[in-house]
Amino acid sequence: MRYWIILLSGLLLISACAPTAPQSFRETFDDTHNGWTLVQNNQAEIAIGGGQLRITVKQPDSLAWSVAAGKTFGDFTLDVDATPLAGPNDNDYGVIVRRVDDDNFYRFEISGDGYFNIQKRQKGQWQKLAADWTESSAIRKGAATNHLRVVCAGRTLTFFVNQVQVAQVADNAFARGEVGVLAGTLTEPGVQVAFDNFQVSK
């Protein structure tokens, strides 16, 4: 069972300025990267290819994310398919919503061993929004694909895995922001997760 809060290990992913306010956004990662943050360094690699966005985390105790830069949303539904490709099941992967900057956003993630976690990062500090790493039978373990959904409606945030609601929280720290995906490691490096069929709808 996991009770570890992952620390950000110096990976700063900077998005573009001048955000827009689209009504919806769909990304299959088949063509151009549409402003997604791409990175390659000794800590992580974030790349698009083969119709997927892949995050590889090379160091232990690290978290990496990519956002669709410049596209901000307030109330919306986010859907994405996520598939672990390599590394231990003691991992984490998921989505970011209402990202103001790298120090302020919400994070919903699951693990390959069947747990989920919900936090917000405010002024650079992680805060729990639900019980830490809660087990759920809705999560497909190991290298299976999981469909993640987040519904943001005002201060209410509702979280689903494979069409099953796993949690709902209320928080008014961030009213709108960018959206993205994330992956992380605990004690073992080498986590790789592929994301596909990313969609935001009003």
Side-chain angles (χ1 to χ4, degrees):
M1 195 167 183
R2 306 176 59 187
Y3 295 100
W4 187 310
I5 297 178
I6 299 172
L7 301 177
L8 178 67
S9 301
L11 179 63
L12 298 179
L13 305 179
I14 302 173
S15 63
C17 300
T20 60
Q23 293 297 307
S24 62
F25 174 58
R26 179 173 175 80
E27 177 66 86
T28 59
F29 304 110
D30 291 325
D31 299 311
T32 60
H33 63 71
N34 279 330
W36 288 87
T37 312
L38 304 181
V39 167
Q40 185 169 2
N41 55 36
N42 62 0
Q43 185 177 9
E45 179 178 347
I46 303 174
I48 291 176
Q52 298 174 324
L53 184 149
R54 296 188 179 190
I55 300 180
T56 305
V57 186
K58 305 175 183 178
Q59 301 294 330
D61 306 330
S62 297
L63 183 68
W65 58 76
S66 180
V67 297
K71 297 179 176 65
T72 65
F73 301 89
D75 292 348
F76 60 89
T77 297
L78 182 154
D79 289 277
V80 67
D81 293 325
T83 309
L85 301 178
N89 286 336
D90 194 20
N91 56 17
D92 67 281
Y93 59 96
V95 298
I96 286 171
V97 296
R98 290 183 175 173
R99 176 191 173 276
V100 179
D101 54 38
D102 280 328
D103 288 331
N104 298 276
F105 57 82
Y106 296 110
R107 147 188 172 192
F108 172 51
E109 59 199 338
I110 63 175
S111 67
D113 53 0
Y115 293 79
F116 70 89
N117 189 39
I118 303 165
Q119 294 185 340
K120 69 176 175 182
R121 184 168 173 85
Q122 189 167 27
K123 297 181 179 179
Q125 301 296 317
W126 296 114
Q127 300 178 34
K128 300 176 187 177
L129 294 179
D132 201 15
W133 289 111
T134 302
E135 190 172 13
S136 172
S137 60
I139 299 170
R140 298 170 185 148
K141 297 180 181 180
T145 298
N146 284 280
H147 184 86
L148 306 180
R149 171 176 290 176
V150 181
V151 179
C152 297
R155 65 193 301 269
T156 302
L157 309 177
T158 310
F159 304 91
F160 300 81
V161 180
N162 299 317
Q163 313 305 324
V164 177
Q165 180 177 323
V166 296
Q168 185 176 80
V169 302
D171 190 83
N172 59 6
F174 314 122
R176 63 183 303 106
E178 295 173 324
V179 292
V181 295
L182 63 85
T185 58
L186 291 177
T187 58
E188 297 182 49
V191 168
Q192 184 180 68
V193 180
F195 297 90
D196 199 1
N197 300 316
F198 187 98
Q199 180 170 312
V200 178
S201 55
K202 299 287 281 187

